[in-house]
Amino acid sequence: MEHNEETQRITEALAGHYRQIIGLLGEDATREGLQKTPERVAKSMQFLLQGYRQDPEAVLASAMFQDEDYRQMVLVKNIDFFSLCEHHMLPFFGKVHVAYIPRKYLTGLSKIPRVVDIFARRLQIQERMTLQIKDCIQKTLNPLGVMVVIEAQHMCMQMRGVEKQNSLTTTSDFTGFFQQAKTRQEFMNLIKK
């Protein structure tokens, strides 16, 4: 993250709030181990939520190439992600699998994980993130189809609430050719290998 006057102003404002939160929770924010914690948390939150300041469509468009009549599935699987649940601001994390079938354009393979990161680095719910990734790729590349599957563990389910340690949540969405069961099955077979 770039360091400029606005970033510093935001960091200082957030740190002030975190100092108050620490005090309200019954801890002394001035004790040695906590003195720099409010500023560290402020910087950490700005990093974790930087997706609000990034344009995923522009990232994809920055590396669009006319394909060479390639009309088969392009799959990027096992994309690690970390996000914060908007309900409790606790982490959820896992893997994203993204495939598209080009119509006219290909995009640089590194752009798909970047799009995932942009949407993950916002206050999120897994279901919305699945839709946002799919919609962004469909709108920007206009492929013959897109499919997104996300498998994630949610700390809000593991650390609090139901406290289910081994639960895994899977979401999916698709367009175009992926509406055909045969194409979806090919995708699922490829991500399980």
Side-chain angles (χ1 to χ4, degrees):
M1 182 186 332
E2 58 187 60
H3 293 283
N4 56 36
E5 289 180 22
E6 179 65 8
T7 301
Q8 187 58 36
R9 184 192 66 74
I10 292 169
T11 300
E12 289 172 9
L14 286 169
H17 291 291
Y18 284 117
R19 214 169 276 108
Q20 289 180 335
I21 290 168
I22 290 168
L24 289 169
L25 292 173
E27 184 56 90
D28 177 8
T30 64
R31 89 172 158 78
E32 184 180 2
L34 290 174
Q35 287 175 359
K36 294 184 179 179
T37 297
E39 184 178 342
R40 286 192 292 260
V41 175
K43 289 177 180 178
S44 174
M45 291 304 282
Q46 288 175 85
F47 174 80
L48 294 172
L49 298 174
Q50 67 184 297
Y52 291 115
R53 297 183 306 278
Q54 298 171 325
D55 180 352
E57 291 177 22
V59 166
L60 279 179
S62 73
M64 284 176 55
F65 309 102
Q66 295 266 341
D67 74 16
E68 297 182 22
D69 294 324
Y70 187 79
R71 299 285 183 276
Q72 301 302 313
M73 189 183 308
V74 176
L75 170 65
V76 182
K77 68 180 187 176
N78 295 325
I79 303 167
D80 292 319
F81 81 93
F82 299 89
S83 191
L84 291 176
C85 150
E86 71 179 30
H87 300 135
H88 301 99
M89 292 182 70
L90 289 173
F92 69 99
F93 57 92
K95 305 275 186 197
V96 180
H97 315 287
V98 178
Y100 71 100
I101 300 171
R103 178 188 315 266
K104 183 178 179 182
Y105 295 105
L106 294 170
T107 189
L109 293 177
S110 70
K111 302 308 178 189
I112 302 291
R114 287 188 180 148
V115 167
V116 169
D117 283 345
I118 289 170
F119 288 117
R121 289 180 178 160
R122 300 175 180 189
L123 293 176
Q124 272 294 9
I125 61 172
Q126 182 175 334
E127 298 88 341
R128 181 188 316 120
M129 190 170 124
T130 306
L131 294 172
Q132 288 174 328
I133 294 166
K134 177 211 62 172
D135 289 344
C136 176
I137 294 168
Q138 184 64 51
K139 180 180 177 186
T140 308
L141 299 179
N142 189 28
L144 297 170
V146 177
M147 185 156 182
V148 177
V149 170
I150 300 179
E151 302 168 307
Q153 295 180 13
H154 292 253
M155 298 309 286
C156 59
M157 288 179 60
Q158 295 178 349
M159 294 175 64
R160 55 159 307 283
V162 297
E163 297 184 57
K164 299 301 177 202
Q165 304 309 311
N166 297 307
S167 62
L168 187 68
T169 301
T170 302
T171 53
S172 68
D173 200 9
F174 48 86
T175 65
F177 282 14
F178 288 99
Q179 292 173 353
Q180 300 169 11
K182 181 180 175 184
T183 309
R184 278 197 315 278
Q185 189 57 53
E186 178 185 353
F187 172 90
M188 297 306 288
N189 290 342
L190 287 170
I191 68 172
K192 296 301 176 198
K193 287 185 179 180

